[in-house]
Amino acid sequence: MNALVNLVIGKFGYNFTTNNKSLTFDPLSLPPESEYIKVTLPGINQEIVIGKNLHDWTVETIQSRKYSSHFLILDATFSKLNSKFVNWFKNELGIKHVVSLPPEELSKDLENLNSILDQCLRANLDKNSCIIAIGGGITGDVAGFISSECVNGIDFIFIPTTLASQADTIINKATISYKLLKNVLTGFNSPSLTVCDTQFLQTLPAKDMSFGLSEVIKHALIGSPEFVKYLKSTIQPQLQNWENYPWNDIVFKSLSIKAKLVAKDPHDLNGIHKGVSYGHTLGHVLEGISQSKLRHGETVALGMRLSGQVSNLMGILSKADLETQNEIISNAGLPTQIPFPVNPAFALNMLSRDHISEAGEITLVLLKSLGKFFVYKNIDPKIITKVLKENVT
Ligand SMILES: [Zn+2]
């Protein structure tokens, strides 16, 4: 059965315009056993299809849109490991313009995007061209930014290939960095079509699945007690047998929560969108201190543990709920303690400068219960210091 979620919201303005030519699929034309999410935002319609072995369907769908030309932005590591698929894809669509990006933070620094914009100009892209991105989150963010800048907005299709980039895919927000200040530039832009082919996940190492599950768990914790229960019974200790988990369903449930939150607050104006920052505010601090030795998924997992404990110490989240959260995080193979020393004063200073905080006061997304978050302002720094000290190995 195809599951349908249709999200429609009211009027909002946009920083970027796109020549978005969203199609409304007849559900019968969707691939069998696939899931479908439609996010309708003013000026941007995004259709997300989740399924297995979607190669032929993807190519046929892109061909049916009759673009004047395609510009492919490719994750270099994915491309190396999947050269047969990449060559087939390029041939089927007659793609001549390809940019290959190493999947590292430096690739999404504004200073490195000039050469891609330059190549877009040389490719003579027009309003009816399309940028296609295949790869992980960095590739998607770069393509989202480039597509919003190119020819004053050009259509964009994303084929995410990692669990993190599928289950936490771009919905109305693509971020890039500037002079290594991570994710400081935000473009409100979405692909018109996102194809999450979960067959790609089978080729990934278990570690990458852990990193992606961190975002999946986050979505469950902020949006659905039922999904928390589902993950508790599905994710086995040490991620055993992960190849056989129902990935279509997991990606669909994760994205449904994100889509609902973003659709209610596309420009992050009333706090609802901020829910997706659960674990991220403290996680970014740890990411900074570790000098990126820990991966994003790992620091988010630690950030969720710390934020959960803060919620509990403030008398908001029950001990039982905190333990359930931490059990799921551990089973997913994510770290349970901070593996390096943390200077609390330094961490507090970084926290007060985070984009979520105002006037130097510390703001965090906290949990009320499993599936319910709220944004808490002016948190007592003593609680954060205590939690940081208790969680360092
Ligand atoms: Zn994240």
Side-chain angles (χ1 to χ4, degrees):
M1 259 306 271
N2 294 313
L4 295 168
V5 174
N6 193 0
L7 300 160
V8 183
I9 59 150
K11 284 181 190 162
F12 289 89
Y14 279 84
N15 287 4
F16 294 125
T17 52
T18 62
N19 178 30
N20 190 303
K21 42 165 66 189
S22 178
L23 303 174
T24 300
F25 297 117
D26 171 352
L28 291 175
S29 73
L30 285 169
E33 305 292 321
S34 62
E35 309 284 353
Y36 173 68
I37 299 175
K38 181 178 178 186
V39 197
T40 307
L41 303 156
I44 298 180
N45 284 331
Q46 178 174 9
E47 298 191 88
I48 304 171
V49 176
I50 303 149
K52 249 184 172 181
N53 298 318
L54 303 178
H55 299 354
D56 289 335
W57 181 87
T58 306
V59 162
E60 281 162 23
T61 303
I62 297 173
Q63 281 166 340
S64 74
R65 293 187 171 195
K66 301 196 185 323
Y67 292 108
S68 55
S69 60
H70 309 100
F71 188 94
L72 182 61
I73 301 185
L74 259 182
D75 181 317
T77 303
F78 172 85
S79 175
K80 219 182 198 175
L81 296 172
N82 298 273
S83 55
K84 207 171 149 196
F85 162 72
V86 169
N87 287 333
W88 170 83
F89 186 86
K90 284 195 291 193
N91 282 340
E92 288 292 307
L93 290 168
I95 296 175
K96 293 187 191 73
H97 309 289
V98 183
V99 164
S100 201
L101 279 185
E104 54 198 42
E105 285 301 322
L106 208 60
S107 291
K108 65 176 213 175
D109 200 280
L110 184 63
E111 299 195 325
N112 286 323
L113 300 185
N114 278 341
S115 77
I116 303 179
L117 280 169
D118 208 50
Q119 289 177 69
C120 285
L121 290 176
R122 283 171 208 267
N124 285 325
L125 301 185
D126 62 37
K127 276 277 176 203
N128 199 33
S129 303
C130 175
I131 288 182
I132 303 171
I134 305 180
I138 290 169
T139 313
D141 276 332
V142 168
F145 180 79
I146 296 283
S147 64
S148 63
E149 292 296 303
C150 226
V151 209
N152 206 15
I154 194 171
D155 209 11
F156 165 34
I157 291 174
F158 186 25
I159 303 169
T161 56
T162 61
L163 179 58
S165 61
Q166 293 191 355
D168 188 26
T169 203
I170 297 170
I171 301 180
N172 204 38
K173 207 172 183 182
T175 54
I176 60 162
S177 307
Y178 181 60
K179 295 196 189 253
L180 294 181
L181 289 169
K182 207 179 156 183
N183 298 341
V184 287
L185 301 175
T186 297
F188 289 104
N189 189 20
S190 260
S192 61
L193 173 65
T194 302
V195 183
C196 300
D197 190 335
T198 55
Q199 186 61 34
F200 288 132
L201 306 180
Q202 298 292 336
T203 62
L204 298 174
K207 262 277 150 226
D208 277 31
M209 300 306 280
S210 292
F211 302 151
L213 275 172
S214 194
E215 305 287 355
V216 172
I217 295 166
K218 174 199 73 181
H219 286 144
L221 291 169
I222 59 170
S224 166
E226 296 79 25
F227 191 29
V228 174
K229 252 192 215 160
Y230 178 98
L231 292 178
K232 189 168 181 264
S233 61
T234 305
I235 303 173
Q236 305 301 308
Q238 277 127 36
L239 212 54
Q240 271 170 42
N241 205 19
W242 68 266
E243 292 90 343
N244 297 320
Y245 294 177
W247 291 111
N248 285 1
D249 211 24
I250 292 172
V251 171
F252 171 71
K253 286 183 161 76
S254 177
L255 282 182
S256 300
I257 294 167
K258 178 170 184 176
K260 260 181 220 157
L261 293 177
V262 176
K264 279 185 190 161
D265 182 18
H267 283 115
D268 203 358
L269 296 176
N270 60 29
I272 297 171
H273 196 145
K274 282 195 174 52
V276 298
S277 295
Y278 182 60
H280 280 64
T281 313
L282 279 157
H284 285 154
V285 170
L286 299 178
E287 215 163 326
I289 295 173
S290 86
Q291 294 180 322
S292 297
K293 280 190 202 85
L294 283 184
R295 295 283 297 269
H296 179 69
E298 294 176 296
T299 54
V300 169
L302 289 168
M304 291 194 287
R305 281 180 168 275
L306 301 176
S307 305
Q309 202 181 335
V310 170
S311 311
N312 175 254
L313 285 173
M314 289 173 69
I316 304 157
L317 182 72
S318 73
K319 189 90 185 147
D321 280 357
L322 175 63
E323 281 168 4
T324 301
Q325 168 197 272
N326 289 347
E327 185 190 325
I328 300 172
I329 293 172
S330 303
N331 285 350
L334 290 158
T336 54
Q337 289 209 296
I338 307 168
F340 44 77
V342 175
N343 175 342
F346 182 75
L348 289 170
N349 186 275
M350 277 180 85
L351 279 175
S352 65
R353 290 161 185 262
D354 190 276
H355 69 94
I356 199 173
S357 298
E358 284 167 28
E361 292 172 348
I362 294 167
T363 300
L364 287 178
V365 177
L366 298 182
L367 286 191
K368 271 187 194 164
S369 59
L370 300 174
K372 276 210 175 106
F373 75 89
F374 72 112
V375 181
Y376 202 102
K377 291 185 181 177
N378 200 8
I379 296 179
D380 184 351
K382 284 196 203 97
I383 295 180
I384 294 171
T385 303
K386 178 178 160 63
V387 168
L388 281 171
K389 280 186 179 162
E390 281 180 14
N391 282 278
V392 172
T393 31

